[in-house]
Amino acid sequence: MNKGGRKMSEENEVHVVMLPWLAFGHMIPYLDLSIALAKFGIHVSFISTPQNIARLPKIPPNLSKFIEFVPLPLPKLDSDPLPENAGATTDIPADRMDDLKKACDLLQEPISNFIAKKLPNWIVVDFFYHKVLDIAEELNIPVIFYLIVTAAAAVFCWKPEFLAGEGQRQTRTSPQDMTVPPNWVDFPSQVVCRNHEATAMHNLLYGASSSGIQDGARMTRIAQGCQAFALRTCLELEADYLKLYSKITGKPVIPMGCLPPQKVEERRTIGEEPWSGVFDWLDKQKPKAVVFIGFGSECKLQRKEIHEIAYGIELSGLPFIFILAKPLWGGDDDEVVPPGFESRTAGRGVVQIGWAPQREILAHPSIGGSLFHAGWASVVENMAHGNYLVLLPFIFTQPLETRLLVEKGLAIEVERAEDGSFTRNGIANALQKAMVAEEGEALRARTKEAADGIFANKEFNHSYMKRFVEYLKDGVYEKK
């Protein structure tokens, strides 16, 4: 379908503009989709800030002609500007998130100018960019809302008429409403928030924002104005949730497959320390024996949380690689983990502070499991290599993804107390169960089955992406 809404011929090029939110947990999934579309000859313009584009993974050389990065500098706020060179959520403290949204809203004019100049066939938009609907409607360009979460999380959060306005006031009036399945879910579901997660989720969807508009209201505008929804999932994982979301939105909800990361055929040369030494260490470990621990850049872990995780790793007795973002409260790197931790675990594990080549690490044959936050992109990266999942969710929809995976028998969740606290023993027990204990055998078997049949199955995922590409060309989605 082109800008005038007419069916495209096979000969015409399809041009898609990608608009991800300024967080690497969003940009990477949007880049994965861009690469998948480029393999089908779809042309993509990927918009972000110059700082973010410089930090994104490189495009495979054979696909670079199909993907154009469009750097748009983040406008400066008149009062209380963001830190110099801040381009993403990872560059700012959590209490400046609304300021980042204010600055990003100021990108509306250059984004609209680019769209008006290029006149793409489609705009693929994240939850944030509700204002792009104005230029899309003016130029009759269809919009696809690409949700980077599961269909289960989408169903739980986003029935459009209940996200803003009168509908919001009529339902889910308190955080306690987030601890049970919403009344539009007509089948058994464990996908809910715990008591300690409910307030944050309620505030995320309905809380006031100093940016001038609630996130729920942004999503409502996009959900109502888009032509279709696209999700990084498949019917074999969550058919009930996909069908229900299409029913409650009244629009096509297109599963695109899992978009597994590019297979690491050969290790990229990392000549400098510490990574050459880290991979040499991994090469010496037994297959599927090492646990990867990492919580990305969006989770701002407190000292007590990092220390309790570290003590749990130590208690587990398992070989490990522990990747930590530099905490805002930290001093020198050796002050981030508990005193003596590295000396006590010397030879059994590796600790690294800062950026890490996560995809290469997860692809290494010595990695057998991961302890992480349950962000959906990281779930896919792990499952594509058959890594066992130990989940400790913290923010956004991570608790909902966790409940889905536990419901499917594909993950172990670290136990928490009613107040959300967790212990080193809980960490150690979950790791041992996933990696070595007899009671984890069923999990390990299901993980292998799901990896081989779904997440790492190239032909399987290709068929889903092919159907999505056909929709981009024809504007017609035929349900599987």
Side-chain angles (χ1 to χ4, degrees):
M1 180 178 286
N2 70 2
K3 296 169 285 298
R6 297 181 296 277
K7 184 176 178 180
M8 294 185 63
S9 68
E10 289 292 330
E11 293 75 29
N12 288 340
E13 291 183 348
V14 179
H15 178 204
V16 176
V17 167
M18 292 280 175
L19 274 174
W21 167 234
L22 304 181
F24 282 93
H26 290 243
M27 289 181 281
I28 296 295
Y30 270 69
L31 185 61
D32 287 339
L33 176 56
S34 300
I35 290 171
L37 292 177
K39 291 178 180 178
F40 284 88
I42 304 294
H43 291 260
V44 175
S45 294
F46 189 103
I47 296 178
S48 193
T49 67
Q51 300 95 321
N52 294 340
I53 289 171
R55 292 180 285 183
L56 287 170
K58 302 302 180 187
I59 301 298
N62 63 315
L63 300 177
S64 59
K65 66 179 180 180
F66 294 106
I67 300 176
E68 174 196 14
F69 286 115
V70 182
L72 297 181
L74 191 66
K76 290 191 176 183
L77 300 175
D78 291 334
S79 61
D80 198 13
L82 293 168
E84 194 68 28
N85 295 321
T89 56
T90 189
D91 303 322
I92 61 170
D95 61 2
R96 299 296 307 274
M97 209 60 67
D98 280 348
D99 290 330
L100 181 64
K101 292 174 183 177
K102 290 178 186 177
C104 194
D105 276 331
L106 297 175
L107 282 173
Q108 175 63 23
E109 183 176 351
I111 289 172
S112 296
N113 290 342
F114 178 82
I115 290 170
K117 179 181 178 182
K118 294 292 186 178
L119 295 175
N121 303 101
W122 294 90
I123 303 170
V124 177
V125 66
D126 208 340
F127 84 95
F128 180 83
Y129 296 96
H130 65 292
K131 292 183 178 181
V132 81
L133 270 293
D134 296 334
I135 189 69
E137 289 169 359
E138 179 184 333
L139 299 173
N140 198 21
I141 301 172
V143 171
I144 292 176
F145 191 174
Y146 172 23
L147 304 172
I148 65 162
V149 299
T150 58
V155 164
F156 181 89
C157 296
W158 299 325
K159 189 170 183 181
E161 62 266 36
F162 289 153
L163 276 172
E166 188 61 29
Q168 176 191 330
R169 289 185 284 274
Q170 292 173 355
T171 189
R172 290 181 152 179
T173 56
S174 75
Q176 195 61 30
D177 294 323
M178 314 304 285
T179 63
V180 295
N183 57 19
W184 52 84
V185 176
D186 54 5
F187 50 83
S189 174
Q190 299 175 25
V191 180
V192 297
C193 293
R194 306 273 192 251
N195 285 329
H196 69 272
E197 301 157 343
T199 298
M201 180 63 74
H202 197 266
N203 288 340
L204 177 69
L205 295 175
Y206 308 117
S209 170
S210 64
S211 70
I213 179 171
Q214 297 170 324
D215 286 348
R218 292 179 188 273
M219 290 185 282
T220 297
R221 174 78 174 96
I222 300 170
Q224 292 172 339
C226 71
Q227 179 163 309
F229 298 84
L231 291 94
R232 186 181 195 172
T233 188
C234 62
L235 291 163
E236 289 74 7
L237 273 178
E238 42 177 355
D240 288 346
Y241 293 105
L242 282 162
K243 292 172 183 175
L244 178 57
Y245 200 53
S246 183
K247 176 183 175 182
I248 64 179
T249 60
K251 296 184 179 184
V253 173
I254 306 172
M256 301 183 295
C258 297
L259 294 173
Q262 296 285 308
K263 186 176 180 181
V264 181
E265 300 286 355
E266 187 176 311
R267 187 189 308 164
R268 183 179 61 197
T269 302
I270 304 178
E272 55 226 34
E273 292 293 347
W275 296 110
S276 59
V278 169
F279 279 96
D280 286 344
W281 178 83
L282 284 171
D283 289 341
K284 297 172 184 175
Q285 307 308 307
K286 295 178 181 178
K288 296 198 76 67
V290 179
V291 179
F292 172 88
I293 302 100
F295 292 87
S297 58
E298 307 303 318
C299 291
K300 315 293 187 184
L301 299 183
Q302 302 301 311
R303 185 191 305 270
K304 182 179 179 181
E305 293 169 330
I306 290 177
H307 284 198
E308 206 63 21
I309 291 168
Y311 286 127
I313 296 166
E314 186 176 351
L315 279 174
S316 76
L318 296 167
F320 66 89
I321 178 166
F322 191 7
I323 306 299
L324 282 162
K326 180 78 170 178
L328 296 174
W329 49 262
D332 295 334
D333 286 355
D334 58 4
E335 297 176 3
V336 176
V337 294
F341 173 77
E342 290 186 83
S343 61
R344 291 192 302 273
T345 59
R348 179 162 72 82
V350 174
V351 178
Q352 291 296 329
I353 311 294
W355 175 87
Q358 178 171 309
R359 288 190 169 181
E360 283 189 288
I361 295 170
L362 294 178
H364 195 283
S366 72
I367 300 294
S370 283
L371 168 61
F372 65 110
H373 49 45
W376 189 240
S378 293
V379 168
V380 171
E381 290 178 10
N382 274 284
M383 289 296 293
H385 301 295
N387 298 335
Y388 317 128
L389 308 183
V390 180
L391 304 179
L392 186 62
F394 283 95
I395 55 175
F396 308 135
T397 61
Q398 292 168 4
L400 305 176
E401 321 294 7
T402 296
R403 310 289 129 74
L404 174 69
L405 290 161
V406 171
E407 183 180 279
K408 298 291 182 182
L410 293 173
I412 294 170
E413 181 176 2
V414 175
E415 289 187 7
R416 290 182 186 254
E418 189 67 19
D419 64 358
S421 61
F422 57 89
T423 67
R424 61 196 69 181
N425 287 326
I427 296 286
N429 291 340
L431 287 173
Q432 289 173 336
K433 181 177 179 180
M435 295 292 290
V436 295
E438 185 177 343
E439 59 182 322
E441 286 180 359
L443 167 77
R444 295 189 286 272
R446 281 190 293 266
T447 298
K448 185 178 188 312
E449 182 181 352
D452 293 344
I454 297 175
F455 289 93
N457 189 318
K458 187 176 180 180
E459 184 177 342
F460 172 86
N461 286 290
H462 179 85
S463 67
Y464 271 100
M465 185 52 56
K466 183 179 179 183
R467 288 166 61 82
F468 182 57
V469 169
E470 288 170 355
Y471 178 74
L472 295 180
K473 291 180 177 179
D474 302 334
V476 178
Y477 178 64
E478 296 181 7
K479 293 182 179 179
K480 201 170 178 181

